[in-house]
Amino acid sequence: QGRDLRGQLTLSNELMGLYRKLGREEDAMTFVARALELLPRAEEPDSVTAGTTWLNVATVYKAFGRPAEALPYYEKARQVYEARLSAEDPRRGGLYNNMALALTDLGRFSEARAAYAQALEVMAHAPHGAWEQAITELNLADLAAAEQGLLEGEGEIEDRLDRAWTLLDCPRADWNGYYAFVCEKCAPSFTYFGRFADGEALKQRAEEIYAGA
């Protein structure tokens, strides 16, 4: 209402993320288009906000099964983040993780592994970075299954699952809402690969934390 272009861009970014999570593709794409139309009028093309907008756009395309369309936006976000953010900024780790997911979908496995390696390096220095590294290790298990198949990739898959479990195994005193979110996110991967007890344990941890909150 106030003709605030930056405010409109922020709102468009939030709404595309909301509709992505709700699975409402048409609504999400409406705000993708709106954000891309606003961006050159509201921000410099090399600003962190521009990079974040491109990352959000890419994530919408990836979420709705369009990784080839997502990748150019990931590349644009990468150029900005690597120029503007420190090498230890966790936002860079999130970008590398998401970009690697799209590369995996496209069968570009060596590039995906390189991006995951970058994510692991960034998150080694981030607060609660071990939990983020656990997510990346599970993503690498998925990559091994996609690249090699479940039987041929079994050794690497089990190794990645073991690493993820070790990274998630923290003292109860450190459990918080974000840890619950990570447990909830990781549990299905353990279950998918047949580690039912581990998946159930993570699910129960999340439920316990949420109940206590």
Side-chain angles (χ1 to χ4, degrees):
Q1 289 176 338
R3 303 283 194 260
D4 173 9
L5 294 179
R6 286 187 173 180
Q8 291 178 56
L9 179 60
T10 297
L11 187 59
S12 296
N13 269 300
E14 294 296 330
L15 285 167
M16 74 169 92
L18 171 64
Y19 290 129
R20 170 178 58 81
K21 289 193 174 187
L22 292 174
R24 291 164 56 175
E25 181 175 1
E26 184 176 350
D27 290 323
M29 295 309 301
T30 293
F31 285 99
V32 163
R34 180 65 175 147
L36 293 176
E37 185 268 327
L38 285 165
L39 186 56
R41 299 160 55 202
E43 286 287 339
E44 293 298 319
D46 61 346
S47 71
V48 172
T49 298
T52 300
T53 300
W54 285 320
L55 172 57
N56 290 341
V57 168
T59 305
V60 169
Y61 277 117
K62 167 67 177 69
F64 292 110
R66 299 159 70 174
E69 292 170 87
L71 203 55
Y73 291 105
Y74 281 131
E75 291 287 2
K76 290 166 77 73
R78 183 178 195 162
Q79 290 176 13
V80 171
Y81 276 16
E82 290 182 347
R84 291 287 187 175
L85 300 177
S86 75
E88 298 179 358
D89 193 301
R91 286 173 288 183
R92 284 178 61 163
L95 166 64
Y96 298 140
N97 247 330
N98 282 291
M99 190 171 185
L101 290 171
L103 288 165
T104 299
D105 284 355
L106 294 168
R108 294 165 61 171
F109 300 122
S110 62
E111 294 171 82
R113 286 185 182 278
Y116 281 136
Q118 288 179 294
L120 289 170
E121 175 62 27
V122 172
M123 292 309 179
H125 307 285
H128 301 308
W131 304 343
E132 295 290 341
Q133 287 181 309
I135 294 172
T136 301
E137 291 289 355
L138 294 175
N139 288 342
L140 279 159
D142 289 335
L143 187 156
E147 183 180 20
Q148 304 170 51
L150 289 173
L151 291 179
E152 291 294 326
E154 182 179 6
E156 181 180 352
I157 291 168
E158 284 299 314
D159 181 55
R160 298 294 181 185
L161 293 172
D162 288 341
R163 292 186 193 187
W165 181 258
T166 299
L167 290 162
L168 290 169
D169 191 22
C170 64
R172 183 179 290 266
D174 293 338
W175 292 11
N176 57 26
Y178 188 65
Y179 180 67
F181 166 78
V182 172
C183 287
E184 199 171 39
K185 185 180 180 72
C186 292
S189 293
F190 283 95
T191 301
Y192 174 77
F193 287 114
R195 301 267 287 258
F196 302 109
D198 292 341
E200 185 61 27
L202 292 176
K203 183 181 175 183
Q204 289 179 359
R205 288 183 192 182
E207 290 174 352
E208 182 179 339
I209 294 168
Y210 289 141

